Amino acid sequence: VSTPLADRELIARLTERERQRFTERTPISLQVARRAVEVMPLGVPTNVSALEPYPLVIAEGAGAYVCDVDGNRYCDYANGFGTSVFGHANTLISEAIAKQAARGTHFGALTMPTLAWAEELCFRYELDWVRFASSGTEATMDAIRLARALSGRELIAKIEGGYHGSHPEAMVSTNMELDASAGSDDRRPKPRLWGRGLPHRLLDDVAVLPFNDLGAAEELLQRGQTAAILIEPILFNVGAVFPEPGYLEGLRELCDTHGTLLIFDETKTAATVAFGGATELFGVEPDLKTLGKGIGGGLAVGAIGGRDERGYRLIESGQFPQLGTFPGNPLVAAAGHAALCEILTPAAYDGLEAHRAYLTEKLERVIAEHDLPAYVIGAGAKACIVWADPAAGPLRDYRDYRRRFDFEAGCLAWLYLVNEGILLAPGQDEQLTFSVAHGPEEAELLAGAFAELAAELRG
Ligand SMILES: Cc1ncc(COP(=O)(O)O)c(C=O)c1O
């Protein structure tokens, strides 16, 4: 058992000091943020980029580094919310984009880049067919509707705490405060609506399951009403919560038994955790898969695909209108194809695994030396410093995360590291993603700054 971080005043003091330091280091970001709030709520394009005390304004990036408008350089371990696993301004992608842009950026038609990209996605992610969207949000929205169409059922089950974008069904029981409205029975969470503007009927249309609990899934599925279970195979927006051995296999079996479709939301995991994404990592095949983020080479993207021929046939029949102006756009296709085929090769994933092993070893050593109640977990290009005592086991679901995770330490770590020139994803949502441009030097920068934070935390 690690020694708890008992001196909460110290954490509060350090956080205040780092907030001050952040302000001193980023006066131009502050100026720009003040201008931005005049035209955008919170001064950001969407809420995910909002930061306390104000958003950092990024000017440019190259390889493993980005620069803000004040000229501060950061080793980037955020990588655009887990997207830029190919490194910033990768010339192979820039050249592919430039080449396609010179031939036109959008036609709303089948193009050769779109076909080549679709073939690569089917090969890599073991899909028999694929269709495109412009974001992960649209991909999970289409997957839900397709599952309803295929099963003739309306109820969708999702995992409590899981994030799948911002369409209405996805906004049920995401990573919200754990309060009485979630219900006191950990095995039967109550569905909740995140924010205003969502119809209350959603509470009847979406059931919520605890992660890593096959008994709870069976109890729901045996009622014979569930169209699909929508699940991110690793919950990456609540620190990082991994499936226990047998969990995904068990869900597969339950879905087969009860006529429910299994949808893996691989928006985050596809291009990051292994060459073939989470399906390869865990060896479990869903019926439908959603993809996003890195598969588009850094441009806006989403995709849905499957091995279930019925999905293909239903779309083909015209009874399932799967629509959009931009999906499959040739610019995104060219960038995505270059990212996957020229950069994210099987050898690249070996390199990413090696980086993760090196980084994890360094961070774990700091944790051990300073007896911190924390541990490091990850796969492929993704990792997370989980601020919870590993003596109680790794976090196993959202409630565990809410109860055990030290959010004040996590918040301090983000601020501390940013001031030391290391950028992590803000909050605990997909905390660390690295790229093919990250090497031992970058791991040492992060581990060195983390060691300084650890020393300060232990007084
Ligand atoms: C697992 C998962 N699904 C869906 C989405 C939504 O993707 P997008 O932001 O492209 O709409 C995200 C975004 O972070 C995600 O992490």
Side-chain angles (χ1 to χ4, degrees), residues 48 81 134-138 140 163-166 232 234 236-237 265-269 290 292-293 301-302 429-430:
V48 298
F81 283 103
S134 296
S135 65
T137 293
E138 288 171 48
T140 60
Y163 183 72
H164 303 286
S166 54
E232 190 182 17
I234 304 166
F236 268 124
N237 70 312
D265 180 2
E266 291 224 41
T267 299
K268 266 180 207 165
T269 51
T290 55
K293 303 215 177 197
V301 72
D429 194 332
E430 48 186 330

Side-chain angles (χ1 to χ4, degrees), residues 82-395:
T83 297
S84 307
V85 69
F86 27 76
H88 294 292
N90 190 306
T91 49
L92 292 167
I93 297 179
S94 316
E95 280 163 14
I97 291 176
K99 205 165 128 199
Q100 181 56 43
R103 308 177 72 184
T105 56
H106 182 63
F107 309 108
L110 174 65
T111 65
M112 293 313 288
T114 314
L115 176 58
W117 185 39
E119 286 169 343
E120 174 60 21
L121 292 171
C122 284
F123 161 69
R124 178 180 293 240
Y125 301 116
E126 298 195 20
L127 302 168
D128 288 338
W129 59 270
V130 68
R131 270 293 184 92
F132 291 101
S134 296
S135 65
T137 293
E138 288 171 48
T140 60
M141 181 179 73
D142 281 356
I144 286 174
R145 186 161 54 94
L146 185 56
R148 283 179 170 151
L150 288 171
S151 65
R153 301 173 179 175
E154 295 202 353
L155 186 69
I156 297 295
K158 75 176 282 288
I159 301 298
E160 188 176 40
Y163 183 72
H164 303 286
S166 54
H167 58 83
E169 275 87 348
M171 298 291 274
V172 176
S173 296
T174 51
N175 184 10
M176 306 154 71
E177 291 280 318
L178 183 55
D179 59 25
S181 67
S184 55
D185 185 345
D186 288 355
R187 302 202 49 242
R188 294 178 192 82
K190 283 194 189 157
R192 299 182 289 157
L193 303 179
W194 186 23
R196 295 171 61 175
L198 295 167
H200 271 84
R201 64 165 169 73
L202 278 176
L203 299 175
D204 299 325
D205 291 350
V206 181
V208 181
L209 293 170
F211 197 65
N212 274 326
D213 187 337
L214 283 175
E218 182 165 28
E219 201 174 291
L220 177 74
L221 262 53
Q222 68 193 5
R223 291 184 215 147
Q225 294 168 344
T226 311
I229 296 181
L230 171 64
I231 184 170
E232 190 182 17
I234 304 166
L235 294 187
F236 268 124
N237 70 312
V238 288
V241 180
F242 274 62
E244 290 169 357
Y247 176 60
L248 296 175
E249 292 84 345
L251 284 186
R252 178 66 279 171
E253 249 182 76
L254 285 173
C255 285
D256 287 341
T257 307
H258 298 287
T260 296
L261 284 105
L262 182 60
I263 308 171
F264 277 180
D265 180 2
E266 291 224 41
T267 299
K268 266 180 207 165
T269 51
T272 55
V273 300
F275 179 80
T279 309
E280 176 191 314
L281 192 66
F282 298 115
V284 176
E285 275 292 341
D287 299 293
L288 295 172
K289 220 177 260 190
T290 55
L291 311 170
K293 303 215 177 197
I295 65 152
L299 301 188
V301 72
I304 168 176
R307 305 207 72 172
D308 184 336
E309 199 197 340
R310 292 176 314 146
Y312 182 99
R313 297 275 167 240
L314 194 68
I315 298 172
E316 187 186 48
S317 74
Q319 291 178 59
F320 182 85
Q322 194 267 331
L323 307 167
T325 299
F326 288 108
N329 168 282
L331 202 60
V332 184
H337 188 267
L340 295 174
C341 296
E342 296 178 46
I343 304 163
L344 299 175
T345 58
Y349 288 91
D350 292 343
L352 291 165
E353 274 299 335
H355 183 80
R356 191 175 59 78
Y358 187 77
L359 177 67
T360 302
E361 200 264 324
K362 297 235 159 251
L363 294 174
E364 285 287 9
R365 193 178 305 164
V366 174
I367 288 171
E369 272 169 11
H370 297 273
D371 187 26
L372 293 179
Y375 64 92
V376 180
I377 193 165
K382 293 186 88 69
C384 185
I385 302 165
V386 180
W387 290 92
D389 192 340
L395 298 181

